[in-house]
Amino acid sequence: MEDLGISLDRTLPGSIETMMQAGLVLALSAFIVMIIVVMRRWNGRFVNVVAGIFTYSIFVYIFTVMCLSILALFPGINEAITYNTQTYTFLYCMFSAVGITMARALLGKISIGRYERKGDVYLSGIGLALGDGIVLFGLSMVANMSYVSGINSVGLSSMLEGMTEEQMISISTSIDMLYEAPEYMWLLMGIAATLDILLAVALSSVVYAVMKGKLSNLWICYAAIIQFFSYISFQSFDYKSQTSIIVCFVIKAAIDIIAPLLIYKLVLKEFEYVND
């Protein structure tokens, strides 16, 4: 394995599993608490959470994968996506931002006359954030926790035993972050997923207001742009650099906190929901 550039002497940071569990539990708890609070405080109906997750799977996950697959048909673009992770990240965030904005527009449109309570709009946003959290954070976190558990239990050499050279290299590349990234990064990822709930609710409210004819259609574009910067701010950091991680997280947190505050204070200040 040493011939393939795979070092078996490295050890995982001692608290990495604890930090991963803390990040995952924090995000999951935040979603559960937010759903309960919105249902009780603003009479939101849970069907909107389900609708948010469903539309996310179609308009974000499937839409993004489809767009990237189409681009991969062109040799030049395929090489750029395959060998340049920054290009892939930029395109993934761009298509995801467009997709989730389309999902918000659809949810806002079908909510008119049916689910127009403030709680309904908030829950549709939480549903989108939940779908986002599962795809961008939850699945990768569970996979990484499985790697950590396997390495701690049987060791990396035993995990790679019986694999082909290509499989060994692929697995080694995938788990490099586990060895090189600081432990607190995994907790920051959970905090970022939690803050995404605030932005998702605010942007869903903005797009709903557009669908009701209370705001200019330009706000749909603004929502997509804000979402894009929120996505890419914590996707393009260098996991080997603590400075890069912290700076990107601070930018991400600033967007997810300041944007909702400005939206509710300035944009939606006088907007009224049904049964308000």
Side-chain angles (χ1 to χ4, degrees), residues 55-56 58-60 62-64 66-67 94-109 128 207 211 220 223-224:
T55 52
Y56 179 90
I58 296 176
F59 286 92
V60 186
I62 295 177
F63 172 77
T64 301
M66 181 184 68
C67 289
M94 182 182 69
F95 289 131
S96 294
V98 172
I100 201 169
T101 303
M102 291 192 299
R104 288 191 174 106
L106 176 63
L107 287 171
K109 194 69 175 178
L128 288 171
V207 175
M211 294 297 102
I220 293 181

Side-chain angles (χ1 to χ4, degrees), residues 168-260:
M168 289 183 185
I169 294 173
S170 176
I171 293 293
S172 178
T173 302
S174 299
I175 65 176
D176 186 62
M177 184 184 293
L178 300 178
Y179 291 98
E180 301 292 342
E183 302 99 306
Y184 62 79
M185 185 196 75
W186 306 101
L187 177 59
L188 293 182
M189 292 175 68
I191 297 174
T194 301
L195 293 176
D196 281 339
I197 303 174
L198 303 177
L199 184 65
V201 170
L203 294 183
S204 291
S205 299
V206 165
V207 175
Y208 170 72
V210 173
M211 294 297 102
K212 288 279 289 184
K214 302 299 183 180
L215 290 177
S216 166
N217 290 333
L218 282 176
W219 275 101
I220 293 181
C221 298
Y222 299 154
I225 292 171
I226 294 171
Q227 185 68 70
F228 169 76
F229 283 110
S230 175
Y231 275 146
I232 203 167
S233 60
F234 204 50
Q235 290 288 330
S236 55
F237 59 84
D238 178 5
Y239 63 83
K240 297 181 181 180
S241 169
Q242 296 193 42
T243 302
S244 176
I245 293 172
I246 293 173
V247 169
C248 289
F249 175 76
V250 169
I251 295 173
K252 165 80 171 178
I255 294 173
D256 285 1
I257 294 174
I258 295 175

Side-chain angles (χ1 to χ4, degrees), residues 15-118:
S15 60
I16 183 173
E17 195 165 10
T18 302
M19 287 296 183
M20 285 182 168
Q21 291 172 351
L24 195 59
V25 170
L26 173 63
L28 183 59
S29 300
F31 278 111
I32 294 174
V33 170
M34 285 292 291
I35 289 172
I36 293 174
V37 168
V38 171
M39 290 180 67
R40 293 180 63 87
R41 173 65 178 81
W42 291 291
N43 299 317
R45 286 164 281 196
F46 187 76
V47 65
N48 293 282
V49 177
V50 178
I53 297 173
F54 179 73
T55 52
Y56 179 90
S57 65
I58 296 176
F59 286 92
V60 186
Y61 181 71
I62 295 177
F63 172 77
T64 301
V65 171
M66 181 184 68
C67 289
L68 290 173
S69 299
I70 293 173
L71 289 179
L73 296 175
F74 301 92
I77 299 178
N78 183 44
E79 289 182 7
I81 295 175
T82 304
Y83 299 107
N84 190 325
T85 56
Q86 295 297 324
T87 300
Y88 176 84
T89 300
F90 179 87
L91 292 174
Y92 186 91
C93 292
M94 182 182 69
F95 289 131
S96 294
V98 172
I100 201 169
T101 303
M102 291 192 299
R104 288 191 174 106
L106 176 63
L107 287 171
K109 194 69 175 178
I110 63 178
S111 293
I112 296 176
R114 299 179 181 88
Y115 303 104
E116 296 196 80
R117 300 173 187 169
K118 180 182 290 186

